[in-house]
Amino acid sequence: MIPASFEYRRADSVEQALGWLSEDPDSTKLLAGGHSLLPLMKLRLATPGVLVDIGRVPGLSYVRDAGDHVAVGALTRHRDVEISDVARAHVPLLAHVAGQVGDPQVRHRGTIGGSIAHGDPASDLPAAVLALDGVLVIDGPRGRREVGAGDFFRGFLETALAPDEVLTEIRVRKAPRGWAFQKFNRRAQDWAIVGVAAVVNGGARVALVNMGATTVRARGTEEALAAGAGIAEAAARAPEGLEPPSDLQGSAEYRRHLATVLVRRALEEATASGG
Amino acid sequence: MQVTMTVNGETQSHDVEARMLLVYYLREVLGLTGTNVGCDTTSCGACTVLLNGESVKSCTMLAAQADGEEITTIEGMASSEGVLHPIQEAFREHHGLQCGYCTPGMVMAVASFLKEHPDPTEAEVREGLEGNLCRCTGYHNIVQATLAAARAGALAP
Ligand SMILES: Cc1cc2nc3c(=O)[nH]c(=O)nc-3n(C[C@H](O)[C@H](O)[C@H](O)COP(=O)(O)OP(=O)(O)OC[C@H]3O[C@@H](n4cnc5c(N)ncnc54)[C@H](O)[C@@H]3O)c2cc1C
Ligand code: FES
Ligand code: FES
């Protein structure tokens, strides 16, 4: 499988990438690790005319302690998030989830920015960032803006990013304790059939993988916990208001059931880990 | 476009189409056919090579993305005198292959894995090779070979 022809340009800076994007935003695509985009291009589900490779833009790969939050550069690879001392100390959920993405080869190429920008409901990192009350820092021709994760994920492969913008940083709230991630799949390396990222300190936030057109919060569970319900009761409300997909991996009904089980396990684990 | 990279220690420079995938550059332009294509969809790991010492699936990378970088393929593992790399030796010793189709990718994945986990447990080996599929061996001997290579202190080339 070979992608359709395109013009390849390697950007040396965000400004250069923005300049190229602005020339023809609709047929230009950014390339980071390429582990979502290249498979789509090989299947010819994506046929950009110009590919702007930002993979080597310097200064966008870091995990930094920024006081009340942790800042992660958009080009930080999953592997580098996974082994980051800062991430492990202050947002172990993020480090753990990065280590659950695909397989080692995927983690050596894929970036956190690519995963967030792609907005796939089956992806793990968007759920972690949503549970960690994340903020996405976006640079564009109209300057810089910050969008909360709750407003960022809009629909299937659809985010708040405009075609002429670049995601540059991901900020997440520190949560050294009281977290859990549950990923249910049938084979090693697979995507989650359903996944749960939970943070229980300072008001529980529970985000779900593959339970809708995009990454979603388990509002029913969060409301129940806020009202003082126990874990089992709160977990039973996990699928409330959600419309999970039906596919070869499982029916919508199966996913609803799975969500209640996995949310219960996640809340038990998060609470046990110091929530 | 012109791409220049170091492959198994030698500088290579060629004019290729921007859409050329790294695996086809290695196989068809350089004639290094040891790297196999199994699934072509980033699943099987048969196309695994080292990019600056780390395992990557070369069917999911453009040759252009490897421009200026260092690539190691299975052909770069044995010494120029033909002495097998300790990982290859361990695969031979422990019968870590049957048809051999997955083997080049497995060996490269193991090389990268052992660099990150010089003293792995069996469970870590099984997790660490999850990106590589083998349709023949049932994995057991591949895991044994990897553990033996670790004991022999076999790091990447
Ligand atoms: C075999 C396989 C298994 C996988 N398994 C999992 C899994 O279990 N869980 C999981 O979560 N993910 C999984 N993934 C996806 C993986 O995490 C991807 O690496 C990630 O989704 C995309 O990151 P990337 O850097 O490769 O992005 P790319 O593929 O380069 O880009 C993806 C999209 O985002 C855009 N983009 C990239 N960077 C930016 C930016 N900075 N600003 C604006 N737009 C940008 C691109 O234009 C493109 O549209 C898997 C992938 C493969 C191939
Ligand atoms: S051929 Fe590249 S992963 Fe299968
Ligand atoms: S030995 Fe045949 S696929 Fe692995």
Side-chain angles (χ1 to χ4, degrees):
Chain A
M1 289 183 299
I2 312 286
S5 292
F6 54 84
E7 186 190 329
Y8 174 89
R9 298 183 194 165
R10 184 180 303 144
D12 295 322
S13 65
V14 172
E15 294 68 39
Q16 191 174 38
L18 287 173
W20 283 334
L21 278 177
S22 69
E23 287 172 18
D24 187 2
D26 290 329
S27 68
T28 306
K29 272 261 167 213
L30 296 175
L31 178 72
H35 270 53
S36 290
L37 185 53
L38 290 176
L40 289 177
M41 288 175 62
K42 287 170 71 178
L43 293 167
R44 310 239 172 159
L45 294 172
T47 54
V50 178
L51 213 50
V52 173
D53 186 354
I54 55 171
R56 292 194 217 174
V57 170
L60 281 185
S61 172
Y62 56 84
V63 183
R64 254 182 232 143
D65 182 344
D68 63 339
H69 65 274
V70 169
V72 186
L75 288 176
T76 315
R77 302 174 313 158
H78 305 323
R79 170 73 186 161
D80 295 322
V81 174
E82 178 186 358
I83 62 173
S84 152
D85 289 336
V86 171
R88 284 182 172 179
H90 300 294
V91 272
L93 170 64
L94 196 69
H96 174 77
V97 171
Q100 298 293 308
V101 172
D103 56 46
Q105 290 96 318
V106 172
R107 299 196 288 273
H108 286 147
R109 293 297 297 163
T111 67
I112 186 168
S115 178
I116 301 298
H118 196 54
D120 188 332
S123 283
D124 302 313
L125 283 162
V129 169
L130 189 58
L132 289 163
D133 213 2
V135 171
L136 293 318
V137 181
I138 299 169
D139 281 15
R142 295 160 298 279
R144 172 166 294 188
R145 63 195 183 105
E146 294 171 12
V147 179
D151 297 320
F152 184 83
F153 301 107
R154 297 270 168 90
F156 186 69
L157 304 187
E158 202 186 315
T159 70
L161 274 170
D164 59 357
E165 292 181 314
V166 178
L167 173 64
T168 49
E169 189 174 273
I170 294 91
R171 296 180 184 157
V172 289
R173 188 168 82 178
K174 287 185 178 176
R177 283 175 301 281
W179 61 274
F181 183 65
Q182 289 282 332
K183 177 172 180 172
F184 191 86
N185 54 15
R186 294 204 310 196
R187 300 173 307 187
Q189 186 206 76
D190 266 355
W191 301 75
I193 300 174
V194 172
V196 180
V199 177
V200 296
N201 281 337
R205 290 176 66 93
V206 180
L208 302 173
V209 179
N210 240 338
M211 280 297 288
T214 187
T215 307
V216 287
R217 281 169 71 180
R219 297 278 184 193
T221 296
E222 293 177 356
E223 275 170 28
L225 288 171
I231 285 177
E233 193 188 327
R237 289 182 56 189
E240 218 173 83
L242 300 179
E243 287 179 33
S246 281
D247 55 29
L248 288 175
Q249 305 273 5
S251 65
E253 193 191 342
Y254 175 64
R255 282 195 162 87
R256 279 193 199 96
H257 168 71
L258 210 47
T260 64
V261 174
L262 296 176
V263 166
R264 178 175 52 72
R265 287 182 192 164
L267 291 175
E268 284 168 357
E269 195 185 315
T271 309
S273 82
Chain B
M1 63 177 294
Q2 194 72 20
V3 295
T4 304
M5 66 187 88
T6 308
V7 180
N8 301 331
E10 274 177 46
T11 305
Q12 300 285 355
S13 193
H14 293 89
D15 189 25
V16 300
E17 264 193 277
R19 61 178 171 165
M20 176 165 267
L21 297 165
L22 178 60
V23 70
Y24 294 114
Y25 177 70
L26 295 171
R27 288 179 57 87
E28 292 170 12
V29 179
L30 302 186
L32 295 172
T33 51
T35 303
N36 286 332
V37 177
C39 64
D40 212 356
T41 56
T42 335
S43 305
C44 74
C47 65
T48 301
V49 300
L50 303 183
L51 166 70
N52 303 326
E54 293 177 312
S55 58
V56 297
K57 293 177 175 176
S58 61
C59 72
T60 311
M61 213 181 136
L62 301 171
Q65 289 175 292
D67 182 45
E69 311 283 18
E70 210 166 292
I71 299 292
T72 309
T73 69
I74 189 70
E75 288 90 345
M77 294 299 276
S79 75
S80 48
E81 296 82 43
V83 179
L84 293 184
H85 185 279
I87 296 172
Q88 293 173 305
E89 191 55 50
F91 268 67
R92 198 177 70 129
E93 188 64 28
H94 292 268
H95 204 73
L97 62 148
Q98 287 179 23
C99 79
Y101 199 86
C102 70
T103 313
M106 281 289 180
V107 169
M108 302 321 282
V110 169
S112 177
F113 169 77
L114 288 181
K115 225 179 187 180
E116 293 172 0
H117 305 83
D119 187 19
T121 62
E122 179 176 335
E124 283 170 340
V125 173
R126 289 184 183 275
E127 283 268 312
L129 297 181
E130 68 180 324
N132 293 71
L133 303 181
C134 176
R135 296 284 87 146
C136 304
T137 64
Y139 300 102
H140 184 75
N141 288 356
I142 293 174
V143 173
Q144 296 310 312
T146 305
L147 289 168
R151 282 193 299 272
L155 294 183

